[in-house]
Amino acid sequence: MKRIPFHRLAPVAAAAALALLAACGGGGEDAGAPLGAVSELQAESMSANSAVLPADSVEGQATVLSTTRAVVAGGTASQTFACAGGGTAVFTVTGGSIGSVTNGQLDAGEVYSLTYTDCRGAAGAAALTGTTTLTVVTAAAGSTEVNTSTQNLQIALPLRTLTLNGSSTLSELVADNGAGVVTTTHRWTSPNITVNSLRNTRTSTFTLSNVDQTRVITTTGGTISARTRSGTVTMNAQLPNGSWTITTATQGAVSFDANGVPTQGSWTITLPNNIIGISVVPGTLTVTADWGANGTIDRTWTFTSADIGAEAG
């Protein structure tokens, strides 16, 4: 029986399709599954969103830092600033000293309250709209750490717009080998933060908890040559086609392309009665399901990168 992509079904059509599958004695690879077993459609949704949403969320936080740095460098407190890539921003600053708050740099102890209106820190960068508070914890050559508190902050990324509500910590470490290779490492942590994702007309809500994500970007001669992400996060997803809660952890670093789609690596998804394993090679994700979490692989599915890109968010 041909599988119908779940994200393309309206709720009534989805219910009808599931009823038809049940009448047929199951649904292809899901036939004979025990009660509570993760299905192929659920595994695809979980794999896609666990791959893309943490990576995009780290990208969003890194954008907040880089855009704020550009606004502070070029603007004056309490005055509207024309952002380099378009849009505007205005900020106020407390803490620090008279010398530090007027030097155009982020300095430890400073607290910035910012309002963005379609502000891009540079041409082609993600656009920010909304408000955030950024507290500078440490700031030194090549090393910065900030605490952020966002209130309905929209981040327009290439494939989706994220809206962030909550608090988190972002650290940035920049290493330059002096020969044209620069490695930028972002570590993002949060006890709890809500991320709304809008892609085309599809809206989903993700509550992320116990977040500990690390992203590494390498540029060679000014061009990005590698992107990886690693770490753990618990995700509660409220999607147009259902809901679920998972805990996911990468096995080493996972590589991504320019659109945030995974290209190499592996990670696991833990549910109360199931363990899902994902292995990625360019263009293909192989997903295994251990029903009962007893160490036995019960099903194996293969999805294309296009499948994952379409399903996420």
Side-chain angles (χ1 to χ4, degrees):
M1 180 173 292
K2 182 179 180 180
R3 180 170 66 86
I4 304 171
F6 197 48
H7 67 273
R8 296 192 182 98
L9 296 175
V12 173
L18 291 175
L20 177 60
L21 291 176
C24 294
E29 290 298 319
D30 297 333
L35 184 66
V38 66
S39 70
E40 179 180 2
L41 297 173
Q42 290 171 326
E44 181 181 12
S45 175
M46 293 172 182
S47 300
N49 285 293
S50 66
V52 172
L53 261 297
D56 277 359
S57 296
V58 178
E59 173 71 18
Q61 293 292 334
T63 298
V64 171
L65 175 57
S66 63
T67 303
T68 298
R69 187 179 280 131
V71 169
V72 171
T76 301
S78 303
Q79 296 184 16
T80 300
F81 172 71
C83 301
T88 61
V90 62
F91 71 90
T92 59
V93 56
T94 58
S97 64
I98 295 177
S100 70
V101 299
T102 58
N103 66 2
Q105 299 178 358
L106 302 182
D107 294 288
E110 295 173 343
V111 179
Y112 291 87
S113 298
L114 303 108
T115 299
Y116 302 102
T117 304
D118 198 30
C119 173
R120 297 178 186 270
L128 304 181
T129 299
T131 60
T132 186
T133 300
L134 185 148
T135 302
V136 185
V137 179
T138 60
S143 178
T144 305
E145 182 175 312
V146 297
N147 294 329
T148 61
S149 176
T150 54
Q151 302 86 39
N152 291 321
L153 179 66
Q154 296 180 4
I155 305 173
L157 298 170
L159 296 182
R160 59 187 51 79
T161 296
L162 303 181
T163 301
L164 304 181
N165 283 282
S167 300
S168 64
T169 298
L170 180 75
S171 64
E172 178 184 79
L173 182 63
V174 180
D176 187 340
N177 76 347
V181 178
V182 178
T183 302
T184 303
T185 302
H186 291 112
R187 183 183 180 193
W188 179 50
T189 60
S190 175
N192 190 276
I193 192 166
T194 300
V195 180
N196 292 318
S197 171
L198 174 63
R199 179 172 184 184
N200 299 323
T201 60
R202 186 166 77 240
T203 301
S204 304
T205 300
F206 300 86
T207 300
L208 308 182
S209 57
N210 301 317
V211 179
D212 191 346
Q213 296 286 308
T214 297
R215 182 189 73 159
V216 181
I217 291 183
T218 302
T219 61
T220 303
T223 301
I224 294 177
S225 54
R227 304 170 186 255
T228 66
R229 178 184 64 84
S230 60
T232 61
V233 61
T234 297
M235 303 174 62
N236 175 271
Q238 301 296 323
L239 310 173
N241 55 11
S243 61
W244 39 258
T245 299
I246 62 174
T247 296
T248 178
T250 59
Q251 312 304 304
V254 178
S255 300
F256 289 79
D257 65 17
N259 291 319
V261 176
T263 57
Q264 196 81 40
S266 61
W267 65 98
T268 58
I269 294 173
T270 303
L271 295 101
N273 299 304
N274 302 266
I275 294 177
I276 300 173
I278 302 99
S279 179
V280 183
V281 295
T284 304
L285 278 78
T286 300
V287 179
T288 61
D290 175 359
W291 293 337
N294 57 11
T296 301
I297 301 303
D298 298 286
R299 289 292 186 274
T300 299
W301 302 295
T302 299
F303 306 112
T304 68
S305 294
D307 293 333
I308 297 305
E311 185 66 39

